[in-house]
Amino acid sequence: EVQLVESGGGLAQPGGSLRLSCAASGFSFSGYSMNWVRQAPGKGLEWISHISVSSNTIYYADSVKGRFIISRDDAKNSLRLQMDSLRDEDTAVYYCVNGFSTVGAGNWGQGTLVTVSS
Amino acid sequence: DVVMTQSPLSLPVTLGQPASISCRSSQSLVSSDGNTYLNWFQQRPGQSPRRLIYKVSNRDSGVPDRFSGSGSGTDFTLKISRVEAEDVGVYYCMQGAHWPLTFGPGTKVDIK
């Protein structure tokens, strides 16, 4: 069974940092691109970052570019998101997703809540 | 950025009746590899999203066959042949053909 378990969320002050992790199991992690998607309270889904197989290609949404860094550790089946210079508008539930458009992809974790507030 | 629009944004349905959600993109979602990267997700109340359909019409394992996807280019549809109570939630289309990836605003399906 595919499992994606996010952790690392919590309360941060504006300008602060948090590091999210996503532990993957039940599939060949190294063979899938990975993504972070967030959902602000009561709002829709926003894709924020992608990392390809072998970390060859990385993309960010403009809303987080220059502040967030995505990385992966295939040896540990783990995805990370380093979030710096946090803003109020970064408050959201953050989900990791193992790709979107291929067989076996499209799996979401349970999400981790990030609250940015003073 | 590719803008995804959905209609309607709210869809009250009668149990056992069909339902249809339209999704339109501001650019063609046909990629240079010939695939069309349009996916559909369901988010039930209080749950994480779940992929239903990928690349327009491919239904995920475990997704009931009352769900179907169709369309081409910039115009796509998700159909539920007979709505059941467990189908209540928000449905999102998402394009995977252009960076940044973008989602539609969501269509809230509930029971009349």
Side-chain angles (χ1 to χ4, degrees):
Chain A
E1 178 194 2
V2 173
Q3 279 204 317
L4 296 165
V5 180
E6 301 92 339
S7 60
L11 177 64
Q13 291 195 334
S17 298
L18 281 175
R19 191 183 198 191
L20 306 185
S21 295
C22 171
S25 61
F27 67 103
S28 179
F29 179 78
S30 62
Y32 282 81
S33 64
M34 297 295 297
N35 297 266
W36 288 98
V37 175
R38 69 184 180 184
Q39 187 170 35
K43 302 297 185 183
L45 302 171
E46 179 190 14
W47 168 84
I48 57 171
S49 188
H50 162 95
I51 186 166
S52 68
V53 168
S54 302
S55 305
N56 290 328
T57 307
I58 289 175
Y59 294 103
Y60 298 99
D62 285 347
S63 57
V64 306
K65 197 175 297 182
R67 301 187 299 122
F68 291 8
I69 298 175
I70 191 173
S71 61
R72 64 189 297 161
D73 184 338
D74 290 344
K76 296 182 178 178
N77 289 349
S78 176
L79 177 72
R80 291 184 288 270
L81 187 68
Q82 177 65 40
M83 309 165 64
D84 297 324
S85 303
L86 285 164
R87 304 168 179 169
D88 290 351
E89 56 265 35
D90 294 321
T91 294
V93 175
Y94 286 72
Y95 297 99
C96 63
V97 191
N98 70 334
F100 291 110
S101 302
T102 58
V103 175
N107 295 284
W108 298 61
Q110 87 288 349
T112 187
L113 176 62
V114 170
T115 302
V116 183
S117 174
S118 54
Chain B
D1 298 0
V2 177
V3 177
M4 305 298 290
T5 57
Q6 291 181 230
S7 62
L9 298 183
S10 178
L11 183 56
V13 296
T14 301
L15 290 174
Q17 292 301 302
S20 181
I21 300 170
S22 172
C23 173
R24 287 191 169 92
S25 58
S26 61
Q27 298 179 35
S28 172
L29 302 185
V30 180
S31 184
S32 55
D33 64 6
N35 289 306
T36 301
Y37 290 98
L38 186 283
N39 308 311
W40 288 97
F41 297 88
Q42 174 197 59
Q43 187 173 31
R44 291 171 171 154
Q47 295 187 13
S48 301
R50 163 200 185 195
R51 194 178 71 175
L52 299 176
I53 303 282
Y54 63 98
K55 287 191 289 187
V56 181
S57 60
N58 296 276
R59 195 167 44 244
D60 271 287
S61 175
V63 174
D65 61 6
R66 64 179 181 274
F67 289 93
S68 64
S70 63
S72 62
T74 62
D75 201 346
F76 305 93
T77 303
L78 176 70
K79 292 183 179 176
I80 310 174
S81 59
R82 294 172 306 281
V83 173
E84 297 189 7
E86 65 178 18
D87 300 336
V88 165
V90 181
Y91 292 78
Y92 297 92
C93 60
M94 188 217 95
Q95 67 82 16
H98 306 280
W99 301 101
L101 307 183
T102 47
F103 288 88
T107 293
K108 186 174 183 179
V109 172
D110 59 14
I111 306 301
K112 282 182 183 175

